[in-house]
Amino acid sequence: MTARLECSGPCVAGRSMRLCVLILCLLPHFGWTVSYKPGDPVILYVNKVGPYHNPQETYHYYTLPVCRPKEVRHKALSLGEVLDGDRMAESLYNIRFKENTERQTLCKLTLSEKEVDQLREAIEELYYFEFVLDDIPIWGFVGYMEESGFLPHSHKVGLWTHLDLNIEYNGDSVIFANVSVKDVKPEPLEEGGGGAGHGVGSGGLTVTHTYSVRWFESTLPHSRRAERLRDYSFFPKTLEIHWLSIINSLVLVVLLLGFVIIILMRVLKNDFARYNVEEDGSCDDLDQGDNGWKIIHTDVFRFPPYKSLLCAVLGVGAQFLTLATGIIVMALLGMFNVHRHGAINSAAIVLYALTSCVSGYCSCSFYTQIQGQRWVWNIILTSALFSAPLFFTWSVVNSVHWWSGSTQALPATTVLLLLGAWVLVGFPLTVIGGIVGKNRAGNFQAPCRTRNIPRQIPQQPWYKHTAVHMAIGGFLPFSAISVELYYIFATAWGREHYTLYGILLCVFAILLSVGACISVALTYFLLSGEDYRWRWRSVLSTGSTGTFIFVYSLFYYHNRSNMSGLVQSVEFFGYSLLTAFVFSLMLGTVSFWASLAFIRYIYRSLKMD
């Protein structure tokens, strides 16, 4: 059988090993091939049920009145599987490798009126179920519903009491499995219904659940069985036009790069030619009669207000840039596939904890360079900048799931595990990174000295106000990823299996490039108006892309999905808001460093003796 590291297993003794065990428990499972001999039992796990149009609203399969063993035994799950809402439990299905079974009785149930109403409501809400066989998810609908006619109106609800399990194998391994109800008649559940498989009496409704197992030989090797699952179409396929997205984004990037490199550099060339004419003094002695960005050389490197918050934003933004790059690289290496349940969730948590040192280092290093004194407070703020909103959002979402009985509500043991990961790994690494950054921080490299008295900023036209820059700086990066964003949403909030990670890496690079180019252009326009308050402006300009992403999530919810209900809506909007916040942090960080590099370049290029 597949070798797995289970977090619920016995722990390694000794305090020195606890941290290592915690990290290993967070890692995704990468099992080996399971080999079977003819006649060996193949365990079928029942997992969850839920409304078809609400992917994140799931409940344990045994919450429905279905066949179940006397003692329900659950499968030990990885952290990622728990976060995905998986709650696998053994079933009554008796499946033997390569042995066909016809019309085997699973169980006979007598349903009360309340249980019939529960099943009828589930079928009317298009409940589907998910089984798992050898790490292969199997989906099917709980029942059948038909609406027809207006006068007279016909409303039929039926329960599938027979399932045909079709399993493909190659050699001694399982390749694919699904269920079919073709040529199967559903058992009516409407008032007064009757059928061959059940009877109605004072004791309730009696139904007999049966199943058949059919084995089919496949030529697909086990190493490529993920392709077979990707081609299966229980859920609708919509990921088909990625290259159109790439072409659209590349054209935009070329235009933006042309704008910044050609037009802006030509303007700068003219500026240099004009500013450097007959300049014999140093940077501090430049002619004060000029106007434009040259005249604010004694203020452009003035340290910004709210230093600690700015540095925390830059630190956490750098952390998420590292995390996102790591996730995409791991995906390109084939570490995430459709058979590894929750692997990407586990990897994201591990990387978030391990990259906390990046946020601490970047934040405290720059904070020290700009002469910040409260470095301890800066480390605490950096650590809490994202984790505090995450905890608040998770608390609200998890409470709603717990109230509804959904499997998406995390168990107490998982909550303690995640808290331990942050307390024992994430926060200490932030502190260590901050201390290293503070000690290794050099002086702030400014080509010109900053005078004590700040220069008065002239009245700015309306198109140079912060709101206008945020609208421009947020819309252009958003337009570069708008097409691909649909596929990302369809994967995160739908049933899609995203596999084109090479394209995702290209789009990610495009997004960062567009953000940097727009930031440089907007910063130049700001400085040319003799406004030296570029630091927070650069962060907010392209950081506002997160606002556009959240607005798009509202559009996606109402126009591109069929999601509904309190449970699904709270999770969708809560985590969409967090996603927008993450994009704001990442793009704000890229925007700031691009603007700083640009400003250092143009002021170093002024002729100085």
Side-chain angles (χ1 to χ4, degrees):
M1 299 299 290
T2 302
R4 287 187 178 274
L5 172 66
E6 305 295 354
C7 295
S8 57
C11 296
V12 179
R15 294 182 179 180
S16 61
M17 296 296 294
R18 289 179 183 174
L19 184 60
C20 179
V21 171
L22 177 62
I23 294 294
L24 292 176
C25 287
L26 293 173
L27 289 173
H29 291 165
F30 304 107
W32 298 318
T33 303
V34 180
S35 299
Y36 299 96
K37 297 178 181 179
D40 281 355
V42 181
I43 300 178
L44 177 70
Y45 293 99
V46 297
N47 192 10
K48 53 192 177 184
V49 295
Y52 181 80
H53 296 300
N54 291 353
Q56 279 68 44
E57 184 181 350
T58 56
Y59 306 94
H60 198 290
Y61 181 76
Y62 286 143
T63 58
L64 293 178
V66 293
C67 298
R68 72 179 70 194
K70 293 181 180 179
E71 181 182 355
V72 177
R73 289 182 296 183
H74 288 83
K75 178 186 177 183
L77 303 175
S78 69
L79 175 63
E81 290 170 332
V82 175
L83 295 176
D84 268 352
D86 291 343
R87 301 295 186 269
M88 300 182 200
E90 294 183 4
S91 66
L92 294 175
Y93 291 90
N94 183 18
I95 302 175
R96 299 283 176 175
F97 189 68
K98 295 186 181 180
E99 291 185 2
N100 293 335
T101 302
E102 291 294 335
R103 307 294 298 188
Q104 183 72 29
T105 299
L106 187 67
C107 75
K108 181 177 291 187
L109 293 176
T110 299
L111 304 175
S112 64
E113 183 178 351
K114 182 179 179 180
E115 291 173 330
V116 172
D117 290 339
Q118 182 183 0
L119 282 173
R120 185 185 296 113
E121 181 180 355
I123 295 171
E124 288 175 344
E125 294 183 6
L126 298 180
Y127 267 48
Y128 73 97
F129 62 81
E130 179 180 292
F131 297 161
V132 178
L133 185 144
D134 195 34
D135 285 340
I136 301 172
I138 302 174
W139 300 289
F141 284 106
V142 173
Y144 167 84
M145 185 180 67
E146 178 182 345
E147 296 275 354
S148 62
F150 178 68
L151 288 175
H153 175 66
S154 174
H155 178 73
K156 298 180 180 179
V157 178
L159 174 68
W160 298 119
T161 57
H162 177 82
L163 296 178
D164 290 322
L165 294 167
N166 305 306
I167 308 175
E168 299 177 10
Y169 68 95
N170 185 350
D172 57 358
S173 60
V174 176
I175 302 300
F176 178 72
N178 68 356
V179 296
S180 172
V181 290
K182 185 179 180 181
D183 301 326
V184 177
K185 183 179 180 181
E187 302 296 342
L189 292 182
E190 59 267 20
E191 288 292 332
H198 72 282
V200 180
S202 58
L205 178 66
T206 301
V207 295
T208 301
H209 287 272
T210 58
Y211 67 97
S212 299
V213 180
R214 299 184 181 94
W215 292 86
F216 302 92
E217 189 170 5
S218 172
T219 58
L220 195 68
H222 184 274
S223 59
R224 295 175 53 196
R225 69 174 187 165
E227 300 175 10
R228 182 68 178 87
L229 183 58
R230 286 198 300 266
D231 296 336
Y232 184 58
S233 59
F234 177 76
F235 299 113
K237 301 289 183 181
T238 58
L239 304 186
E240 298 176 353
I241 57 171
H242 281 75
W243 290 112
L244 294 179
S245 169
I246 294 298
I247 294 173
N248 171 73
S249 301
L250 284 177
V251 170
L252 178 61
V253 170
V254 170
L255 293 176
L256 286 173
L257 289 177
F259 170 76
V260 173
I261 296 176
I262 299 176
I263 301 178
L264 191 55
M265 293 308 294
R266 290 185 64 182
V267 173
L268 283 174
K269 184 178 180 180
N270 294 332
D271 288 347
F272 291 146
R274 178 163 55 93
Y275 290 157
N276 287 330
V277 171
E278 297 179 355
E279 289 293 350
D280 297 325
S282 66
C283 189
D284 292 324
D285 299 324
L286 292 174
D287 186 4
Q288 297 301 310
D290 285 325
N291 54 20
W293 55 267
K294 168 188 171 182
I295 201 172
I296 58 173
H297 64 279
T298 57
D299 295 283
V300 74
F301 293 104
R302 190 178 302 280
F303 296 147
Y306 309 108
K307 297 179 183 178
S308 188
L309 179 59
L310 176 64
C311 294
V313 169
L314 299 179
V316 179
Q319 177 186 4
F320 276 106
L321 287 171
T322 307
L323 189 151
T325 304
I327 288 291
I328 296 175
V329 170
M330 292 176 66
L332 288 173
L333 295 176
M335 301 181 70
F336 310 131
N337 65 39
V338 292
H339 293 110
R340 290 167 182 165
H341 301 263
I344 195 168
N345 290 338
S346 299
I349 291 174
V350 172
L351 287 180
Y352 176 75
L354 296 180
T355 56
S356 296
C357 58
V358 175
S359 64
Y361 179 87
C362 294
S363 175
C364 207
S365 175
F366 191 68
Y367 184 70
T368 304
Q369 290 182 29
I370 60 176
Q371 301 177 6
Q373 302 298 324
R374 304 174 60 190
W375 64 273
V376 175
W377 165 247
N378 174 251
I379 292 177
I380 296 175
L381 180 61
T382 302
S383 181
L385 185 63
F386 177 76
S387 58
L390 173 63
F391 179 77
F392 174 78
T393 303
W394 169 82
S395 299
V396 174
V397 173
N398 200 69
S399 298
V400 173
H401 282 302
W402 176 81
W403 169 77
S404 66
S406 170
T407 59
Q408 298 289 335
L410 297 183
T413 53
T414 304
V415 175
L416 293 176
L417 180 64
L418 294 176
L419 183 61
W422 187 81
V423 172
L424 300 178
V425 181
F427 183 72
L429 286 180
T430 305
V431 175
I432 294 173
I435 294 174
V436 174
K438 173 181 176 296
N439 294 332
R440 298 188 62 180
N443 296 325
F444 184 76
Q445 301 297 323
C448 303
R449 293 201 303 266
T450 301
R451 292 180 177 175
N452 294 330
I453 302 176
R455 179 185 178 85
Q456 184 176 1
I457 300 174
Q459 184 72 24
Q460 299 295 313
W462 65 269
Y463 54 83
K464 290 188 177 181
H465 288 176
T466 303
V468 178
H469 278 202
M470 289 178 65
I472 298 174
F475 175 75
L476 291 177
F478 169 77
S479 64
I481 63 168
S482 57
V483 178
E484 191 69 18
L485 198 61
Y486 168 75
Y487 302 117
I488 296 175
F489 269 70
T491 301
W493 301 107
R495 320 287 184 176
E496 299 290 355
H497 297 297
Y498 197 100
T499 56
L500 302 178
Y501 294 106
I503 293 179
L504 184 61
L505 179 61
C506 292
V507 173
F508 185 62
I510 288 170
L511 175 65
L512 301 184
S513 301
V514 173
C517 293
I518 291 299
S519 173
V520 168
L522 293 178
T523 299
Y524 173 78
F525 293 141
L526 185 70
L527 299 181
S528 64
E530 302 178 18
D531 189 345
Y532 50 83
R533 299 169 300 181
W534 61 272
R535 293 167 184 81
W536 276 109
R537 181 73 66 88
S538 65
V539 172
L540 295 175
S541 59
T542 54
S544 61
T545 304
T547 303
F548 286 88
I549 292 176
F550 184 73
V551 172
Y552 176 81
S553 70
L554 302 178
F555 169 80
Y556 180 87
Y557 181 87
H558 290 288
N559 297 278
R560 292 292 184 266
S561 74
N562 295 303
M563 292 184 285
S564 61
L566 176 64
V567 176
Q568 182 68 38
S569 299
V570 168
E571 173 150 339
F572 178 85
F573 291 114
Y575 288 125
S576 293
L577 192 60
L578 271 183
T579 302
F581 182 48
V582 169
F583 273 91
S584 296
L585 293 172
M586 290 193 299
L587 291 173
T589 300
V590 171
S591 175
F592 177 86
W593 291 115
S595 296
L596 179 59
F598 169 74
I599 291 173
R600 282 174 172 167
Y601 166 75
I602 63 175
Y603 283 97
R604 283 193 183 122
S605 299
L606 289 175
K607 185 186 295 183
M608 294 183 294
D609 294 333

